[in-house]
Amino acid sequence: MPHADSALVPETITTKAEFWAHTYSQLDALLDSDQRNWVTNLSNASSLIYNSLLAFPAHFGNGQRGVNWCGFYLDSPLFPLSSKSKPVSSRLLLGPFNGKPACQYINTAPGKARGVCADSFLQRRTVVVTDVESYPGHIACDGETRSEIVCPLILSSDGDNTSRVLGVLDLDCLAVEAFDDEDKAGLEKIADQLVKACDW
Ligand code: SME
Protein backbone atom coordinates (compact mmCIF):
# COMPACT_ATOMS: atom_id res chain seq x y z
CA MET A 1 0.00 0.00 0.00
CA PRO A 2 1.39 3.48 -0.81
CA HIS A 3 2.21 5.38 2.38
CA ALA A 4 -0.27 8.15 1.55
CA ASP A 5 -3.13 5.65 1.67
CA SER A 6 -2.53 5.21 5.41
CA ALA A 7 -4.63 8.33 5.91
CA LEU A 8 -7.69 6.93 4.14
CA VAL A 9 -10.63 6.21 6.45
CA PRO A 10 -12.95 3.38 5.35
CA GLU A 11 -16.69 4.08 5.16
CA THR A 12 -17.31 1.33 7.72
CA ILE A 13 -15.85 3.65 10.37
CA THR A 14 -18.63 5.78 11.81
CA THR A 15 -17.77 6.59 15.45
CA LYS A 16 -14.91 8.52 17.10
CA ALA A 17 -13.85 5.42 19.03
CA GLU A 18 -13.57 3.45 15.77
CA PHE A 19 -11.75 6.36 14.16
CA TRP A 20 -9.06 6.54 16.87
CA ALA A 21 -8.63 2.74 16.94
CA HIS A 22 -8.18 2.81 13.16
CA THR A 23 -5.68 5.69 13.31
CA TYR A 24 -3.72 3.89 16.03
CA SER A 25 -3.38 0.75 13.91
CA GLN A 26 -2.45 2.77 10.80
CA LEU A 27 0.27 4.51 12.80
CA ASP A 28 1.47 1.19 14.14
CA ALA A 29 1.99 0.02 10.57
CA LEU A 30 3.91 3.21 9.70
CA LEU A 31 6.24 3.00 12.70
CA ASP A 32 9.19 0.88 11.73
CA SER A 33 10.92 -0.87 14.62
CA ASP A 34 14.32 -0.27 12.97
CA GLN A 35 13.77 3.47 12.65
CA ARG A 36 13.41 5.29 16.00
CA ASN A 37 14.22 8.90 15.06
CA TRP A 38 11.61 11.21 16.61
CA VAL A 39 11.71 13.78 13.78
CA THR A 40 10.80 11.10 11.24
CA ASN A 41 8.14 9.39 13.35
CA LEU A 42 6.45 12.57 14.60
CA SER A 43 6.40 13.92 11.03
CA ASN A 44 4.45 10.94 9.77
CA ALA A 45 2.24 10.93 12.88
CA SER A 46 1.20 14.58 12.44
CA SER A 47 0.45 13.98 8.77
CA LEU A 48 -1.49 10.80 9.48
CA ILE A 49 -3.67 12.34 12.22
CA TYR A 50 -4.29 15.57 10.29
CA ASN A 51 -5.16 13.89 6.99
CA SER A 52 -7.20 11.12 8.62
CA LEU A 53 -9.32 13.73 10.41
CA LEU A 54 -9.84 15.53 7.09
CA ALA A 55 -10.91 12.19 5.58
CA PHE A 56 -13.44 11.65 8.39
CA PRO A 57 -15.66 14.78 8.45
CA ALA A 58 -18.19 12.93 10.64
CA HIS A 59 -15.75 13.49 13.52
CA PHE A 60 -16.74 17.14 13.71
CA GLY A 61 -20.32 16.62 12.49
CA ASN A 62 -20.67 16.53 8.72
CA GLY A 63 -20.80 20.05 7.34
CA GLN A 64 -18.87 21.50 10.32
CA ARG A 65 -15.52 23.17 9.77
CA GLY A 66 -12.75 20.71 10.61
CA VAL A 67 -9.18 20.31 11.82
CA ASN A 68 -6.77 23.09 10.80
CA TRP A 69 -3.56 22.10 12.60
CA CYS A 70 -1.92 19.01 14.08
CA GLY A 71 1.60 18.96 15.43
CA PHE A 72 4.13 18.73 18.21
CA TYR A 73 5.92 21.12 20.54
CA LEU A 74 9.00 19.53 22.15
CA ASP A 75 11.05 20.40 25.19
CA SER A 76 14.04 22.46 24.01
CA PRO A 77 16.81 20.15 25.37
CA LEU A 78 15.72 17.60 22.74
CA PHE A 79 16.96 19.91 19.98
CA PRO A 80 20.65 20.04 19.04
CA LEU A 81 22.29 23.41 19.67
CA SER A 82 24.47 25.23 17.18
CA SER A 83 27.81 26.45 18.52
CA LYS A 84 26.38 29.99 18.84
CA SER A 85 23.14 29.08 20.66
CA LYS A 86 22.77 29.48 24.38
CA PRO A 87 20.90 26.60 26.03
CA VAL A 88 17.38 27.61 27.06
CA SER A 89 15.62 24.91 29.01
CA SER A 90 12.28 26.51 29.84
CA ARG A 91 10.57 26.50 26.51
CA LEU A 92 8.94 24.26 23.94
CA LEU A 93 10.04 24.41 20.31
CA LEU A 94 7.89 23.81 17.27
CA GLY A 95 8.32 20.25 16.01
CA PRO A 96 6.86 18.32 13.08
CA PHE A 97 3.36 19.48 12.12
CA ASN A 98 0.72 19.73 9.40
CA GLY A 99 -1.18 22.94 8.82
CA LYS A 100 -0.30 26.61 8.48
CA PRO A 101 2.92 28.08 9.98
CA ALA A 102 2.80 28.39 13.78
CA CYS A 103 4.72 30.06 16.61
CA GLN A 104 8.21 28.62 17.09
CA TYR A 105 8.61 28.93 20.86
CA ILE A 106 6.31 28.49 23.83
CA ASN A 107 7.59 29.70 27.20
CA THR A 108 7.30 27.21 30.06
CA ALA A 109 9.31 29.17 32.65
CA PRO A 110 7.69 29.65 36.07
CA GLY A 111 5.71 32.91 36.09
CA LYS A 112 6.09 33.36 32.33
CA ALA A 113 4.37 30.24 30.97
CA ARG A 114 1.22 30.91 28.97
CA GLY A 115 -1.14 28.98 26.70
CA VAL A 116 -2.71 25.57 26.32
CA CYS A 117 0.50 23.77 25.33
CA ALA A 118 2.46 25.13 28.32
CA ASP A 119 -0.40 24.21 30.67
CA SER A 120 -0.58 20.65 29.32
CA PHE A 121 3.21 20.30 29.51
CA LEU A 122 3.58 21.70 33.04
CA GLN A 123 0.48 20.00 34.48
CA ARG A 124 1.26 16.68 32.72
CA ARG A 125 -2.33 16.24 31.58
CA THR A 126 -4.48 16.49 28.46
CA VAL A 127 -6.24 19.86 28.16
CA VAL A 128 -9.48 20.06 26.15
CA VAL A 129 -10.46 23.61 25.17
CA THR A 130 -14.04 23.83 23.91
CA ASP A 131 -13.76 27.54 23.02
CA VAL A 132 -10.31 29.13 22.74
CA GLU A 133 -11.77 32.60 23.28
CA SER A 134 -12.69 31.62 26.84
CA TYR A 135 -9.30 30.09 27.69
CA PRO A 136 -7.07 32.48 29.65
CA GLY A 137 -3.67 32.84 28.00
CA HIS A 138 -4.54 30.95 24.81
CA ILE A 139 -1.90 31.63 22.13
CA ALA A 140 -3.59 32.24 18.79
CA CYS A 141 -1.21 31.01 16.09
CA ASP A 142 -4.19 31.06 13.70
CA GLY A 143 -7.03 33.49 14.40
CA GLU A 144 -9.46 31.06 12.79
CA THR A 145 -8.92 28.33 15.41
CA ARG A 146 -11.96 27.89 17.67
CA SER A 147 -11.19 24.80 19.78
CA GLU A 148 -8.16 22.76 20.71
CA ILE A 149 -6.86 19.65 22.46
CA VAL A 150 -3.31 19.22 23.80
CA CYS A 151 -1.93 15.94 25.11
CA PRO A 152 1.47 15.50 26.84
CA LEU A 153 4.10 13.01 25.66
CA ILE A 154 5.22 11.28 28.86
CA LEU A 155 8.30 9.07 28.99
CA SER A 156 8.12 6.70 31.97
CA SER A 157 11.11 4.95 33.37
CA ASP A 158 10.03 1.67 34.92
CA GLY A 159 13.34 1.23 36.71
CA ASP A 160 13.10 4.13 39.16
CA ASN A 161 9.42 5.00 38.75
CA THR A 162 10.18 8.46 37.33
CA SER A 163 8.74 10.16 34.30
CA ARG A 164 9.69 13.02 32.01
CA VAL A 165 7.42 15.14 29.81
CA LEU A 166 9.03 15.31 26.36
CA GLY A 167 6.58 17.73 24.80
CA VAL A 168 2.97 17.87 23.64
CA LEU A 169 0.73 16.84 20.75
CA ASP A 170 -1.58 19.71 19.74
CA LEU A 171 -4.70 19.63 17.55
CA ASP A 172 -6.73 22.68 16.49
CA CYS A 173 -10.17 22.92 14.91
CA LEU A 174 -12.13 25.63 13.11
CA ALA A 175 -15.33 24.75 15.03
CA VAL A 176 -16.07 25.21 18.74
CA GLU A 177 -16.48 22.12 20.96
CA ALA A 178 -14.74 19.82 18.48
CA PHE A 179 -12.90 17.62 20.98
CA ASP A 180 -14.11 15.56 23.93
CA ASP A 181 -13.18 12.67 26.23
CA GLU A 182 -13.16 10.18 23.33
CA ASP A 183 -10.54 12.27 21.54
CA LYS A 184 -8.60 12.54 24.80
CA ALA A 185 -8.56 8.74 25.18
CA GLY A 186 -7.59 8.22 21.52
CA LEU A 187 -4.80 10.81 21.56
CA GLU A 188 -3.35 9.63 24.88
CA LYS A 189 -2.97 6.12 23.41
CA ILE A 190 -1.27 7.54 20.33
CA ALA A 191 1.02 9.74 22.46
CA ASP A 192 2.10 6.66 24.42
CA GLN A 193 2.59 4.69 21.18
CA LEU A 194 4.86 7.43 19.81
CA VAL A 195 6.91 7.84 22.99
CA LYS A 196 7.65 4.10 22.95
CA ALA A 197 8.47 4.05 19.21
CA CYS A 198 11.24 6.67 19.35
CA ASP A 199 14.66 7.16 20.97
CA TRP A 200 14.77 10.37 23.03
N1 SME B 1 -2.76 27.51 20.85
C1 SME B 1 -1.53 27.00 21.39
C2 SME B 1 -0.34 27.47 20.59
C3 SME B 1 0.05 26.56 19.49
S1 SME B 1 -0.91 26.69 18.14
O1 SME B 1 -2.28 26.36 18.45
C4 SME B 1 -0.36 25.77 16.89
C5 SME B 1 -1.39 27.40 22.84
O2 SME B 1 -2.20 28.17 23.36
O3 SME B 1 -0.44 26.95 23.48
Side-chain angles (χ1 to χ4, degrees), residues 41-181:
N41 289 336
L42 300 191
S43 298
N44 257 347
S46 62
S47 173
L48 177 74
I49 298 167
Y50 181 81
N51 286 290
S52 299
L53 281 168
L54 290 178
F56 184 56
H59 179 283
F60 302 108
N62 284 312
Q64 277 268 43
R65 302 176 79 205
V67 64
N68 62 325
W69 203 86
C70 172
F72 296 88
Y73 281 92
L74 285 309
D75 199 13
S76 58
L78 289 165
F79 290 80
L81 291 172
S82 78
S83 55
K84 290 184 186 156
S85 317
K86 285 192 201 140
V88 182
S89 59
S90 301
R91 65 183 185 181
L92 301 173
L93 268 70
L94 179 63
F97 72 96
N98 270 233
K100 292 181 181 170
C103 53
Q104 294 181 2
Y105 307 114
I106 291 179
N107 202 328
T108 55
K112 291 186 181 165
R114 186 171 75 87
V116 192
C117 293
D119 289 348
S120 172
F121 177 81
L122 292 169
Q123 295 166 19
R124 298 172 169 241
R125 67 178 181 93
T126 301
V127 180
V128 178
V129 180
T130 53
D131 181 351
V132 297
E133 287 174 9
S134 321
Y135 192 92
H138 171 260
I139 299 167
C141 292
D142 181 346
E144 285 206 274
T145 296
R146 287 289 164 266
S147 59
E148 181 163 357
I149 184 168
V150 181
C151 170
L153 304 181
I154 300 175
L155 177 67
S156 299
S157 165
D158 294 337
D160 53 5
N161 222 3
T162 56
S163 65
R164 173 186 173 201
V165 188
L166 302 163
V168 297
L169 166 55
D170 181 13
L171 262 77
D172 293 346
C173 181
L174 295 166
V176 291
E177 297 174 357
F179 304 107
D180 59 19
D181 281 349

Side-chain angles (χ1 to χ4, degrees), residues 3-60:
H3 283 67
D5 291 353
S6 313
L8 298 177
V9 180
E11 282 178 7
T12 50
I13 288 176
T14 56
T15 67
K16 279 192 185 191
E18 288 167 351
F19 170 81
W20 286 117
H22 170 74
T23 306
Y24 183 95
S25 66
Q26 295 297 91
L27 183 56
D28 214 39
L30 280 176
L31 294 169
D32 178 346
S33 57
D34 291 334
Q35 196 301 102
R36 297 183 53 82
N37 185 289
W38 64 257
V39 176
T40 305
N41 289 336
L42 300 191
S43 298
N44 257 347
S46 62
S47 173
L48 177 74
I49 298 167
Y50 181 81
N51 286 290
S52 299
L53 281 168
L54 290 178
F56 184 56
H59 179 283
F60 302 108

